[in-house]
Amino acid sequence: MTDRALLDKVRAFGMSGFQIRDDISKVEKEKTLNLLVRPRAEKVRKLEGYDQFEGRVRADAAQMSEFYEIFYCLEVSIRQLVENILEEAEGADWWNSERVEKEFREYVQRIQSDEANTEITTRSERNIDYLTFGQLGKLITNNFDVFNAVLSSKRAVDRIMSQLNLLRNPIAHCGLLADDEKERLELTVRDWFRMRS
């Protein structure tokens, strides 16, 4: 149902709020949109004693969780894109090809070795997941000859990845984003998707 058809239906039938809400919910599901304002339910925490943390800290964490989710999805998708493109160009052993700087491989090997000597689960089986965001951007720009089929501009990649790297710090290290930084993140994410060919 188009937006116009929905409005015409509302006018023609004098629909109730419940009927309108139901139709809007159907459009949301069909188009994968969020049009209705919904109250955020208090999350049930498995950690006993979570409510003992200061209310302001819990409120800040809840506010920043949205930006963490956005950045998590973006970062995982960028890493997957890089891995897919380089694997297509160099084969399954792309990590050991000339496309990956020796410095990057040595850095990842050190981190993996450090993690192996702890009792904590290692972060990943994939080498690319150990690169910093800055290194990831450099990997793309250094190999732009294979990325130019899916990314429109090397200069834009450099600018966007630099911006994301700056915005990542407060998100990943329990900081708060100022309102203009929230807008900057939203615009930078849009720029990333716009740059994708």
Side-chain angles (χ1 to χ4, degrees):
M1 176 180 299
T2 66
D3 295 348
R4 183 82 166 153
L6 181 59
L7 286 173
D8 291 341
K9 190 174 180 182
V10 170
R11 289 187 190 112
F13 296 106
M15 296 170 66
S16 73
F18 291 112
Q19 291 168 316
I20 294 169
R21 188 173 187 80
D22 185 51
D23 277 357
I24 292 174
S25 292
K26 287 176 187 171
V27 170
E28 284 181 323
K29 286 178 185 171
E30 182 181 306
K31 304 287 185 185
T32 319
L33 298 170
N34 289 319
L35 302 171
L36 297 172
V37 176
R38 292 175 175 82
R40 274 185 98 142
E42 183 74 23
K43 290 184 178 178
V44 177
R45 302 290 178 184
K46 292 180 181 178
L47 177 65
E48 187 176 324
Y50 178 78
D51 58 342
Q52 293 179 33
F53 290 115
E54 188 179 330
R56 180 190 57 78
V57 173
R58 290 193 322 261
D60 288 347
Q63 177 191 14
M64 287 302 295
S65 68
E66 175 184 358
F67 303 104
Y68 175 82
E69 287 178 30
I70 291 166
F71 211 95
Y72 180 96
C73 293
L74 179 65
E75 187 169 329
V76 168
S77 69
I78 292 172
R79 289 179 190 279
Q80 190 62 56
L81 172 74
V82 170
E83 184 174 54
N84 291 345
I85 297 290
L86 290 176
E87 187 172 319
E88 185 176 309
E90 295 294 326
D93 197 31
W94 67 269
W95 180 256
N96 294 309
S97 74
E98 292 179 3
R99 292 201 178 268
V100 180
E101 289 184 29
K102 181 180 177 188
E103 168 191 323
F104 291 175
R105 288 193 299 269
E106 289 172 351
Y107 170 82
V108 167
Q109 193 171 23
R110 275 194 313 275
I111 302 295
Q112 288 172 330
S113 178
D114 290 347
E115 282 189 9
N117 293 321
T118 68
E119 62 282 349
I120 297 180
T121 306
T122 58
R123 77 178 80 170
S124 178
E125 297 289 322
R126 299 174 343 152
N127 291 317
I128 196 168
D129 292 336
Y130 288 87
L131 293 178
T132 66
F133 212 66
Q135 290 168 329
L136 194 61
K138 193 171 179 186
L139 187 59
I140 294 170
T141 57
N142 286 352
N143 294 288
F144 203 71
D145 61 308
V146 293
F147 285 94
N148 64 2
V150 295
L151 300 173
S152 62
S153 162
K154 182 177 181 177
R155 195 166 141 218
V157 168
D158 193 40
R159 184 187 58 76
I160 290 167
M161 294 298 283
S162 294
Q163 188 75 270
L164 289 171
N165 200 31
L166 292 173
L167 291 165
R168 183 184 192 278
N169 288 331
I171 296 168
H173 299 286
C174 302
L176 294 174
L177 288 176
D179 288 341
D180 63 329
E181 291 167 336
K182 292 173 188 174
E183 291 173 16
R184 190 172 296 126
L185 175 60
E186 183 179 333
L187 291 172
T188 306
V189 170
R190 285 183 189 172
D191 289 345
W192 170 260
F193 286 113
R194 188 178 298 118
M195 181 185 58
R196 297 276 312 262
S197 301

